[in-house]
Amino acid sequence: MRTHDLDPWSLVFGVAFLSVAGSYLLTHTTSVHLHWLLIVPAAMILLGAVLLGGSAVRMRRKSDLGSEIDDDGGVV
């Protein structure tokens, strides 16, 4: 099975949808009361971490491609 690259936007929106749906389900089916003021900062932290991770992967790929090219512009 071939693996695919991580899509940070799909991951962020999927986790956001899952957290909103899960909190709605927990709040309306049990006696658990979730505070929305805690979910917003947690979502922002998650979004920042995913975007930083995506940037780090992109920078690593660019540096790996740069190391494959020698001084004459030819591929090693």
Side-chain angles (χ1 to χ4, degrees):
M1 177 182 227
R2 191 177 139 239
T3 61
H4 61 280
D5 293 335
L6 177 68
D7 182 16
W9 292 108
S10 297
L11 179 64
V12 167
F13 285 113
V15 169
F17 179 78
L18 183 64
S19 61
V20 169
S23 63
Y24 180 80
L25 182 67
L26 279 175
T27 303
H28 286 37
T29 59
T30 63
S31 61
V32 175
H33 181 68
L34 298 175
H35 297 282
W36 287 101
L37 293 177
L38 296 176
I39 293 175
V40 172
M44 292 178 77
I45 290 170
L46 181 65
L47 174 67
V50 168
L51 292 177
L52 282 175
S55 296
V57 168
R58 196 172 316 120
M59 288 175 58
R60 188 178 322 138
R61 284 185 192 158
K62 285 183 180 181
S63 68
D64 289 344
L65 288 175
S67 65
E68 292 178 2
I69 299 175
D70 63 2
D71 294 334
D72 297 332
V75 178
V76 175

